[in-house]
Amino acid sequence: MKTAMVWGADGGIGQALVNNLIAAEWEVFAIGRHADRLSPAVTHCLEADVNSEFAVQNVALAVGYETTAVDLWVYAVGDITAVPVRDMGYGTWQRIMQANLGGAYLAAHHSLPLLAPDAHLFFLGAVSERLRLPGLSAYAAAKAGLEAFAETLRKEERRRKVTVVRPGAVATPLWEKVALKMPKDATDPEKVAGRIMQAYHEGHTGHLDLAH
Ligand SMILES: NC(=O)c1ccc[n+]([C@@H]2O[C@H](COP(=O)([O-])OP(=O)(O)OC[C@H]3O[C@@H](n4cnc5c(N)ncnc54)[C@H](OP(=O)(O)O)[C@@H]3O)[C@@H](O)[C@H]2O)c1
């Protein structure tokens, strides 16, 4: 049985991915900050806010008791705000940077010892160059940084695959956090989950552009 570890498993894309993995009979370690939102079908539910290194470390320790050969690792945590720099407090800036970038480092750093030698890591990014719009400075900077982080990690972890998924608009609760209208043609999270699984099976590495 293959093993997966999904951070942000209580989010729209995270939940779709976990459901897809369970249907395919994977063993899944699902991590979110709201355990009650995790699918009841998940046997390994773990709670962590990626603002806390202690919490991230505890999750890694708990998973480490069960396995040290995670095949598929996904960072699907994310947060967004749309506030101009002149109005954005430092706390807001830090929240967005931590959810999208700092937490990706923490989760990866503490998870690497648990991964199989040929494990595949996925980070949920975005089409970062299209995000450089008024109000999105923190989100755009974090997603651009995430791409640089993942590219560097790929060069360090040469036996492993590292993919940055760059979806277009996806119909998830993320859109409720900004006063922006979700595009009518937003993709279903299940479709994104399916593309991640396809990329895993095809051994993809690099950017996975899903925007149309
Ligand atoms: N939806 C889109 O259109 C879209 C497009 C491109 C890329 N993405 C990216 O895809 C990823 C998944 O997003 P989604 O669309 O599935 O949105 P989502 O439903 O809002 O999921 C994001 C998840 O991250 C969690 N999270 C936020 N801050 C956290 C923290 N400090 N610690 C732990 N968990 C935290 C959220 O929990 P809370 O609910 O408690 O905040 C939520 O469960 C994100 O990185 C997002 O940027 C989404």
Side-chain angles (χ1 to χ4, degrees):
M1 189 190 267
K2 293 254 185 193
T3 304
M5 197 169 169
V6 181
W7 298 82
D10 53 352
I13 295 173
Q15 281 182 18
L17 186 60
V18 167
N19 292 339
N20 192 313
L21 288 162
I22 288 172
E25 299 187 347
W26 282 61
E27 179 173 39
V28 181
F29 292 88
I31 307 135
R33 60 176 169 181
H34 309 281
D36 56 321
R37 277 195 340 222
L38 296 170
S39 161
V42 181
T43 45
H44 305 287
C45 290
L46 300 146
E47 214 165 45
D49 187 316
V50 301
N51 283 310
S52 161
E53 179 170 19
F54 182 70
V56 170
Q57 203 166 8
N58 272 344
V59 162
L61 275 174
V63 175
Y65 283 123
E66 306 281 342
T67 182
T68 50
V70 173
D71 302 289
L72 169 62
W73 183 97
V74 181
Y75 188 80
V77 173
D79 201 353
I80 190 168
T81 191
V83 186
V85 173
R86 69 169 66 232
D87 299 326
M88 183 168 29
Y90 186 47
T92 301
W93 168 267
Q94 283 184 308
R95 174 169 63 82
I96 302 305
M97 293 302 285
Q98 188 60 23
N100 293 292
L101 181 56
Y105 148 73
L106 277 183
H109 171 71
H110 288 292
S111 302
L112 283 173
L114 310 174
L115 304 192
D118 61 348
H120 197 151
L121 295 92
F122 287 82
F123 295 91
L124 264 296
V127 187
S128 62
E129 61 277 14
R130 282 198 211 158
L131 296 174
R132 294 166 194 178
L133 301 168
L136 293 185
S137 61
Y139 189 65
K143 291 302 191 191
L146 183 68
E147 289 179 6
F149 172 75
E151 191 175 331
T152 310
L153 182 66
R154 189 179 306 119
K155 290 173 185 165
E156 293 173 357
E157 299 293 322
R158 290 188 171 276
R159 291 181 63 195
R160 292 168 170 156
K161 292 171 209 76
V162 179
T163 295
V164 177
V165 185
R166 294 171 22 118
V170 188
T172 72
L174 192 81
W175 286 89
E176 292 162 16
K177 296 180 174 171
V178 282
L180 299 170
K181 212 169 172 194
M182 186 175 77
K184 283 199 181 103
D185 62 348
T187 311
D188 288 334
E190 290 73 22
K191 199 165 173 192
V192 176
R195 293 295 301 275
I196 292 173
M197 292 313 297
Q198 185 187 350
Y200 171 79
H201 290 299
E202 289 173 355
H204 178 279
T205 193
H207 286 171
L208 180 65
D209 276 300
L210 304 182
H212 34 74

